[in-house]
């Protein structure tokens, strides 16, 4: 999936904008954002999720491994005059993350594209301040791979099992782990609309 080529029109899809708003609302229900946390969004694309939370966040870093997405995000930051916001190229599959620490790390429908999700979660844990939170929205386990059936160039993961994800977070010594359904995504599969649940996993780094 070439995100560089899709970046210019990414924000034109009203479903993506609405989904980000729904995930943002779920984050507000599960995470206390009262202190306007310094935030990193991993696999941010154009930053739709962080922008849906802009009133609740402090400084924000939008990171992605797509230069096209980064370029669009930079233009949006300038156009919307988002003070304290910046972008950073970072390929988490190579162990890269912007310099922290952060109070909140966000991710939306990005983890399933990453080669080693456990390693990414470990990077996020290291980037968080003690007491900081992660909030990850992604696909529930899709055993028949229907969501990406039409994408012949997809080499990621077909969603995640919530029990397994809880185990990963527990092994990393996260606390206050919560996983709930944030929203659903409707996608055409073999000519028929099909709904795919999107979970929200939140957790706190003790300290």
């Amino acid at each position: 999936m070439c995100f560089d080529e899709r970046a210019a029109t990414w924000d034109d899809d009203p479903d993506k904008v609405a989904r980000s708003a729904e995930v943002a609302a779920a984050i507000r229900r599960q995470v206390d954002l009262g202190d306007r946390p310094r935030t990193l969004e991993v696999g941010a694309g154009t930053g739709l999720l962080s922008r849906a939370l802009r009133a609740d966040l402090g400084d924000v870093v939008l990171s992605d491994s797509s230069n096209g997405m980064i370029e669009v995000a930079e233009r949006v930051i300038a156009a919307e005059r988002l003070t304290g916001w910046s972008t950073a190229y970072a390929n988490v599959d190579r162990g890269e993350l912007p310099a922290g620490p952060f109070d909140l790390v966000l991710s939306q429908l990005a983890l399933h594209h990453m080669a080693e999700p456990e390693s990414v979660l470990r990077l996020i844990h290291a980037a968080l301040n003690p007491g900081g939170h992660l909030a990850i929205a992604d696909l529930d386990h899709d055993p028949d791979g229907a969501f990406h059936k039409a994408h012949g160039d997809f080499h990621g993961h077909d969603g995640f099992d919530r029990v397994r994800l809880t185990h990963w977070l527990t092994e990393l010594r996260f606390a206050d782990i919560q996983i709930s359904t944030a929203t659903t995504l409707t996608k055409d599969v073999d000519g028929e609309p099909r709904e795919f649940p999107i979970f929200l996993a939140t957790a706190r780094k003790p300290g």
Side-chain angles (χ1 to χ4, degrees), residues 13-194:
D13 184 347
D15 290 339
K16 289 186 176 69
V17 177
R19 183 167 59 249
S20 296
E22 290 163 355
V23 171
I27 291 172
R28 290 188 184 100
R29 290 193 293 270
Q30 289 186 202
V31 180
D32 182 2
L33 303 175
D35 291 334
R36 296 179 62 83
R38 181 174 189 245
T39 299
L40 168 67
E41 186 175 350
V42 177
T46 64
L48 279 174
L49 180 55
S50 291
R51 284 151 55 198
L53 287 164
R54 73 181 72 189
D56 303 281
L57 305 180
D59 292 348
V60 175
V61 179
L62 304 176
S63 72
D64 206 281
S65 60
S66 163
N67 285 312
M69 289 291 186
I70 290 293
E71 289 170 7
V72 173
E74 288 174 348
R75 290 200 296 268
V76 170
I77 288 171
E80 299 186 6
R81 299 181 181 181
L82 296 172
T83 304
W85 288 50
S86 61
T87 64
Y89 178 90
N91 188 328
V92 291
D93 285 334
R94 295 202 296 255
E96 300 170 358
L97 269 187
F102 298 94
D103 307 308
L104 175 66
V105 176
L106 306 174
S107 178
Q108 176 179 224
L109 292 174
L111 191 66
H112 71 272
H113 288 282
M114 298 169 185
E116 297 183 9
E118 289 176 271
S119 297
V120 174
L121 294 174
R122 190 172 296 110
L123 285 173
I124 290 172
H125 186 277
L128 282 168
N129 272 316
H133 289 82
L134 67 76
I136 293 175
D138 218 306
L139 293 166
D140 269 303
H141 183 47
D142 173 27
D144 57 359
F147 187 86
H148 293 101
K149 185 175 182 180
H151 301 282
D153 58 346
F154 176 72
H155 302 292
H157 304 270
D158 292 315
F160 299 99
D161 177 82
R162 298 187 188 194
V163 173
R164 188 178 184 189
L165 180 58
T166 300
H167 174 73
W168 288 345
L169 294 172
T170 301
E171 286 289 296
L172 289 169
R173 302 188 184 279
F174 277 102
D176 301 336
I177 300 166
Q178 298 183 67
I179 303 181
S180 62
T181 300
T183 186
T184 58
L185 191 160
T186 303
K187 190 171 186 178
D188 186 87
V189 179
D190 294 330
E192 297 290 336
R194 178 166 166 180

